[in-house]
Amino acid sequence: MSRMDELPLRPELRGRSPYGAPQIPAKYRLNTNENPHPLPQALLADLAGALRDAAVDLNRYPDRDALALRTDLAAYLTRTGGVWLAPEQVWAANGSNEILQQVLQTFGGGGRRALGFTPSYSMHPIIAAGTGTTWVDGHRRADFTIDPEAAAAQVRELAPDVVFVTSPNNPTGTAVDLATVEALYEASTGVLVVDEAYAEFARTGTPSALTLLTGRPRLIVSRTMSKAFGMAGLRLGYLAADPAVVDALQLVRLPYHLSSLTQAAARTALAHTDALLATVDAVKAERDRIVAALPGMGLTSVPSDANFVLFGRFADAPAAWRALLERDVLVRDVGLPGWLRVTAGTPQETDAFLTALGEVAADHRLGD
Ligand code: PMP
């Protein structure tokens, strides 16, 4: 028995494991879906000045409502999301994980249920447990797509207080069409969270659920600067929703949760949006190069709208994971039998990954 089990732990946390993407020092770290491209020099120069200016006021608490930052985020979404958004419809926090936690604190909690379509982002059930929300696994088809009728029926039957849809989905890369989002919204009485952490990597023609916000006060779309913006270290996530949702979140958010340094850095990064997002097309090209190379090794992948690829199938995915790590390539074993996930990044990373995979594929792929 571990020492933790001897503590008076909340029963729903007993026997659980923390989120644990291994931070192993491999040469090619392709396991946490970051954008590996170096940040633009002009941004780094501006950040130094912005942080120095913000530091002058560090004796004071930050703007609790982060209004200037939310104005900039609303402008970014308006420019790229196909819909006009006001700052009152946007809320920001330390990563979209904190956004999701605040949503569950507000709309989930003790005696309430959250439903998500697994396999999906592993933090959704972990944050549910942390907020005392009961988690229920939803169904996906064998090809990892969501069957809209079956999913809506499950939502009607269970009447969860919070429904999660991740689009593009992590770890499969699968985008969810808007008709499915609409069907789930109609079927639900609770809030519907569309986790769009990877939205910027979607293939052309994949619309965002932002376009569904008007007239749907229970719909929440969450985003992050950790992926396409290449700012995972900044910890800045945000959501767009009806202003009433943003008002409701104020009931649970900690006062001054977003430091003035974070707010200043995020605003500076947003001022360099075009330069930051200039790498997105290059990352998508690497993703598509990985997908195209797999059949030649007797492997396959799930169609991806994200900056990663779920690839397989392997007789023993953990063994294939180790074989790649021995070649200095760290990918992610997401616990799906037969599959591994690799982050698409620079051409050099793709080269290293494909070379290593070429060496191990024949020994590890699932036999016919
Ligand atoms: N949602 C999804 C689907 C993710 O994959 C991630 C990060 N892996 C997050 C949210 C959280 O990202 P962050 O807290 O860095 O914004």
Side-chain angles (χ1 to χ4, degrees):
M1 195 153 72
S2 82
R3 289 168 61 89
M4 191 161 69
D5 292 327
E6 291 160 18
L7 295 171
L9 259 192
R10 284 165 49 197
E12 62 270 35
L13 298 184
R14 278 193 189 280
R16 287 185 171 264
S17 311
Y19 173 86
Q23 293 193 309
I24 297 174
K27 182 163 180 206
Y28 300 100
R29 286 182 294 157
L30 310 179
N31 70 331
T32 46
N33 301 341
E34 293 144 320
N35 184 340
H37 288 278
L39 295 171
Q41 281 303 324
L43 166 62
L44 295 180
D46 281 0
L47 272 175
L51 293 176
R52 192 187 50 231
D53 291 349
V56 173
D57 291 323
L58 276 177
N59 57 320
R60 300 287 176 192
Y61 283 115
D63 174 7
R64 205 172 42 212
D65 298 325
L67 203 54
L69 171 59
R70 287 160 62 203
T71 303
D72 292 351
L73 288 167
Y76 165 67
L77 292 180
T78 296
R79 190 155 70 80
T80 55
V83 64
W84 188 85
L85 285 163
E88 295 73 35
Q89 291 173 273
V90 174
W91 181 243
N94 295 284
S96 51
N97 282 329
E98 188 182 27
I99 287 285
L100 300 175
Q101 184 178 48
Q102 292 180 347
V103 167
L104 279 169
Q105 286 175 322
T106 309
F107 299 103
R112 291 195 155 211
R113 278 186 298 205
L115 170 85
F117 301 94
T118 41
S120 190
Y121 182 38
S122 60
M123 279 306 295
H124 294 161
I126 293 177
I127 300 173
T131 58
T133 316
T134 302
W135 179 261
V136 185
D137 277 336
H139 312 306
R140 277 178 192 266
R141 297 186 181 108
D143 66 357
F144 301 120
T145 57
I146 294 177
D147 175 340
E149 278 93 51
Q154 201 183 7
V155 168
R156 265 191 301 273
E157 189 191 323
L158 281 162
D161 302 283
V162 182
V163 176
F164 285 102
V165 181
T166 313
S167 181
N169 188 41
N170 176 12
T172 60
T174 319
V176 180
D177 62 33
L178 292 190
T180 302
V181 176
E182 279 183 276
L184 290 172
Y185 186 86
E186 293 310 322
S188 68
T189 49
V191 294
L192 173 62
V193 181
V194 184
D195 182 339
E196 290 195 348
Y198 300 96
E200 287 91 350
F201 296 108
R203 286 170 287 186
T204 323
T206 313
S208 160
L210 290 169
T211 57
L212 298 179
L213 280 174
T214 309
R216 291 186 181 81
R218 294 177 291 104
L219 179 62
I220 295 171
V221 181
S222 70
R223 295 281 190 105
T224 182
M225 293 183 74
S226 297
K227 310 297 178 179
F229 276 86
M231 300 290 289
L234 173 64
R235 309 308 299 131
L236 201 288
Y238 55 105
L239 62 69
D242 192 277
V245 169
V246 175
D247 288 347
L249 295 173
Q250 308 307 306
L251 301 171
V252 303
R253 59 105 183 93
L254 295 175
Y256 318 111
H257 68 298
L258 212 48
S259 91
S260 12
L261 298 179
T262 302
Q263 295 187 38
R267 294 194 68 204
T268 308
L270 284 163
H272 289 261
T273 295
D274 290 344
L276 283 168
L277 296 187
T279 59
V280 165
D281 282 343
V283 170
K284 285 162 70 173
E286 294 310 308
R287 168 194 71 200
D288 296 340
R289 185 152 81 90
I290 292 170
V291 168
L294 293 169
M297 303 181 198
L299 295 170
T300 185
S301 63
V302 179
S304 175
D305 273 287
N307 63 337
F308 53 82
V309 178
L310 192 71
F311 65 102
R313 297 185 59 198
F314 297 105
D316 178 354
W321 181 86
R322 282 191 300 273
L324 288 171
L325 187 58
E326 279 161 19
R327 286 158 181 81
D328 237 357
V329 175
L330 176 62
V331 298
R332 187 76 167 270
D333 178 2
V334 291
L336 274 180
W339 297 97
L340 293 172
R341 192 193 71 192
V342 62
T343 304
T346 64
Q348 296 75 16
E349 286 175 338
T350 307
D351 291 345
F353 167 68
L354 291 177
T355 303
L357 190 61
E359 288 169 17
V360 309
D363 282 347
H364 289 279
R365 70 184 168 226
L366 195 64
D368 308 311

